[in-house]
Amino acid sequence: MPEVLVQERTQVVGRGVPRLDAEAKVRGQARYADDLAFPGMLYGKAIRSARPHARIRKLDLSRVLAHPKVVCVATAADIPGKNCVPIIYEDMPLLAEEVVRYVGEPIALLAAETREDAEEAAQLAEVEYEDLPAVFDPLEAVRPGAPQVAVPSAAERGNIFNHMVIRKGDVAKGFAEAEVIVEGEYRVGYQEHAYLETQGMIAVPEDNGMAVYGSLQCPFYVQRAVATVLGLPLARVRVVQTATGGGFGGKEDVPSQVAAMAAVLAWKSGRPVKVVFDREEDILTTSKRHPAVVRYRTGAKRDGTLTAVEVEFYYNAGAYQTLSSAVLWRGLIHAAGPYRIPHVKVDGYSVATNTVPCGAFRGFGSPQVIFAHESQMDELARRLGLDPLELRRKNALREGDETATAQVLTESVGLLSCIDRAKELSRWEERQRAVAEFNARERFKRRGLGVSTVMYGVGLGAKAPLLDKAGAYLKLEADGSITLAVGNTEMGQGAVTVLAQIAAEALEVPLSAIQVAPVDTARVPDSGPTVASRTTTVQGMAVLDAARKLKAKIDRAVQEILGCPKFVVEGRAFCDPRDPRRRVTLAEVARWMWVHNWDMGATGWAEAAPVDWDPQTGLGHAYFVYSFACHIAEVEVDVLTGETRVCGFWAVHDSGKIVNPKTAWGQVAGGIAQGIGYALLEELPTNEGRILYPSFTAYHIPTAQDMPEELVIDFVEAPYSGGPYGAKGLGEVPLMASHAAVANAISHATGGRLREYPATPERVLSLLEGQGS
């Protein structure tokens, strides 16, 4: 055990701080966590490891506690519950106790009177380390004799957290039948979430419990984490979401850690504690998209018919599991792409290294393999002399086909329609000729066209079916307004609008009548995490269930009031069709129900359709439904500098019924921007586990100037019978498809094959020089 020196100052602290007036401000309007202030609030700060792998020999916090504005410090010994941030596994401690496994791992906490005091005091901590061998590359981490990083209880063997497989058909037979075989290795690095506000949480002691306010995607994850570290039952922890300016997966798992930090300090001090990262700390220490090495073999007949695919990929999970097993699983299921392939072999590995733990990011493990499988399709088309769009069309999944996991698709398969519509909107053949003419004419610029087609399993699938559920509560107020409470969160994706639309449509009332309540775990049902593009589909069905029940009550009340079995709805009024002058407003109906002591609320519930998947073979019903997309990109490359710009983009999606076309358009446009950043710009160089340049000065994200001059977005609707009004998921799909289309367009323009992200000017120049082909 390390030597821990803490000379506690005598202090009188209060337990059971009453609910404060600031809470009313949270409920009255959406507020960012960093804007909130509670009376007596302290500012929390983590003291973090400076080493990638080391044993803690001594931790001296006496100078920290001697700081006049520091109220308390906390080490692992001060955690009243379990020293663990539970996500899927329980391998990650809140505070490292004996060994640190990555640069930036929290070792201790402090709370001070101001943020500046907290920052200053954190520098006073003295930590003595005994360095241990470290490993940073997943391929090196799986070699015999590699330093042991993974906590053994969370790993299958050595540093392999998880190894997952798909075994469909006979791959050897499939390659024997192939007339052309294409092989390739592809690499991608980190992608930073770049959400608007950094990670931030406030913990407020309450009578017998703790309240937490913050920027987050999954309030019930946070509730579980805080209850775990405090040793409290869930009923004594409540979590309130404040305004969340984008999550992209980064607000899924990390807020549990941040909230737990704040809660431990609040518990010890008896005062509210705010923990908000600055941007540097956020980039250095929070989850990213998993870096990956992906190896492919693709076999086909000369006419382009796919016969076999073999894939081996390694995801750098970082020091702890967090969500890596689920990320790996989605990568596995999507590795073969949206194509009919009789013989499939996939091996996926998530590997522990001495780097910052990776986690959820929009697309959740699929963009890495999509880069590879779509590059393979373009290489195959080139080798066969086929049009890349037509090659995809030839092999595209249709109703009645089997996916790579042998799941038969029985409905809502709009991939062919996406391809045909994208071809039409882009004027594909005409554009191909225009690009060829441009390249023949221009000396210092070259253009290229790229295509990608993708499928996306909606919801959590067979990896986490117990979480794929949702609840909703609708209440008709006495004045005719309607309150909707759900457990899924709004983070800029338009969920509040879409869910209110579903309720309004089912209730036959104007959208303005619906008010969506703030998410508070004490007041809304656990609706699973706001991830996996599931909110419209699963949460929407729960809202629809509640709305239909409430509508039945309203209808019975109208029948009683008007004395007629049937009526018509006009705006907020209900009319007797026999005498239109006899009408009653929704407000009058609500008042009548209230006076007559009717139950004016209704609960709704929804579960995702059953799934069934065999981990031994990787076969089965992996997801209840899939969304599809086809993207086409046109890029222009400067042959002197290697600079690339996207000058045209055409995106067509099948996400079932589009509930709100405007917000859907925005989702796709945002995903295209994020995909352009992934393919062209975003890079986080590291050295021995340290992120070298943790700022947006060095980490470039796309701006409006990086968006294409011509941007066309459209939807084809293949309705899903299990979704509200036929809707299915959309949110993650645009990013998944966009980057691969850009990558293929670069390869077309340069004549070389892009095999590593991002396509920096240096890499593009090497392609032009033939070094990367």
Side-chain angles (χ1 to χ4, degrees), residues 39 178 183 235 268 335 388 423 598 702 720 736 758:
E183 299 187 39
K268 187 169 184 183
K423 180 178 180 180
W598 281 34
Y720 168 51
M736 292 165 52

Side-chain angles (χ1 to χ4, degrees), residues 422-719:
K423 180 178 180 180
E424 175 189 353
L425 291 172
S426 65
R427 306 184 306 280
W428 176 248
E429 292 90 352
E430 178 185 335
R431 197 161 298 277
Q432 285 178 308
R433 291 192 296 270
V435 165
E437 291 170 2
F438 179 92
N439 291 339
R441 182 177 69 249
E442 296 291 332
R443 183 179 178 187
F444 299 115
K445 294 184 185 296
R446 291 189 61 82
R447 289 191 174 183
L449 291 170
V451 180
S452 71
T453 50
V454 301
M455 64 188 292
Y456 178 80
V458 178
L460 299 166
K463 186 68 174 70
L466 299 180
L467 295 175
D468 231 347
K469 57 196 173 189
Y473 178 67
L474 273 168
K475 181 175 69 168
L476 178 63
E477 305 290 355
D479 63 355
S481 59
I482 298 166
T483 299
L484 169 61
V486 296
N488 284 153
T489 57
E490 173 64 58
M491 49 190 157
Q493 80 276 39
V496 166
T497 302
V498 166
L499 296 175
Q501 280 184 267
I502 292 170
E505 180 75 13
L507 291 169
E508 296 186 84
V509 300
L511 180 61
S512 59
I514 310 292
Q515 175 65 40
V516 181
V519 176
D520 180 335
T521 56
R523 304 189 179 195
V524 297
D526 185 347
S527 297
T530 309
V531 300
S533 303
R534 62 184 291 274
T535 301
T536 297
T537 312
V538 182
Q539 181 68 82
M541 285 302 291
V543 171
L544 191 59
D545 183 45
R548 287 169 174 165
K549 293 174 182 175
L550 182 57
K551 180 69 163 61
K553 295 180 181 181
I554 294 171
D555 287 355
R556 288 197 301 273
V558 172
Q559 291 166 351
E560 291 261 356
I561 296 167
L562 295 180
C564 61
K566 295 182 179 180
F567 55 87
V568 295
V569 180
E570 296 180 0
R572 295 199 189 197
F574 305 90
C575 307
D576 185 341
R578 302 167 301 183
D579 182 0
R581 293 172 300 178
R582 297 190 67 241
R583 60 176 53 218
V584 61
T585 66
L586 180 61
E588 291 169 334
V589 174
R591 182 66 182 174
W592 185 93
M593 293 172 70
W594 186 86
V595 168
H596 288 80
N597 294 334
W598 281 34
D599 179 3
M600 298 171 69
T603 58
W605 189 252
E607 300 175 56
V611 288
D612 183 20
W613 181 77
D614 179 6
Q616 300 303 313
T617 63
L619 303 182
H621 200 85
Y623 290 96
F624 58 81
V625 73
Y626 295 84
S627 294
F628 300 89
C630 177
H631 284 199
I632 296 173
E634 181 177 357
V635 304
E636 184 175 290
V637 173
D638 187 315
V639 301
L640 298 179
T641 67
E643 183 180 9
T644 301
R645 71 179 184 92
V646 181
C647 45
F649 209 100
W650 300 266
V652 181
H653 285 255
D654 163 33
S655 288
K657 177 65 179 176
I658 300 300
V659 176
N660 189 304
K662 287 187 177 180
T663 58
W665 194 98
Q667 281 275 37
V668 176
I672 291 169
Q674 219 164 17
I676 288 172
Y678 190 37
L680 295 183
L681 302 170
E682 300 182 39
E683 188 170 33
L684 277 174
T686 62
N687 181 35
E688 295 189 338
R690 291 173 172 83
I691 294 172
L692 297 179
Y693 312 115
S695 75
F696 288 149
T697 302
Y699 184 82
H700 300 146
I701 58 175
T703 68
Q705 290 185 326
D706 297 298
M707 290 297 283
E709 297 168 3
E710 184 174 358
L711 175 61
V712 180
I713 295 169
D714 201 9
F715 301 93
V716 297
E717 297 182 337

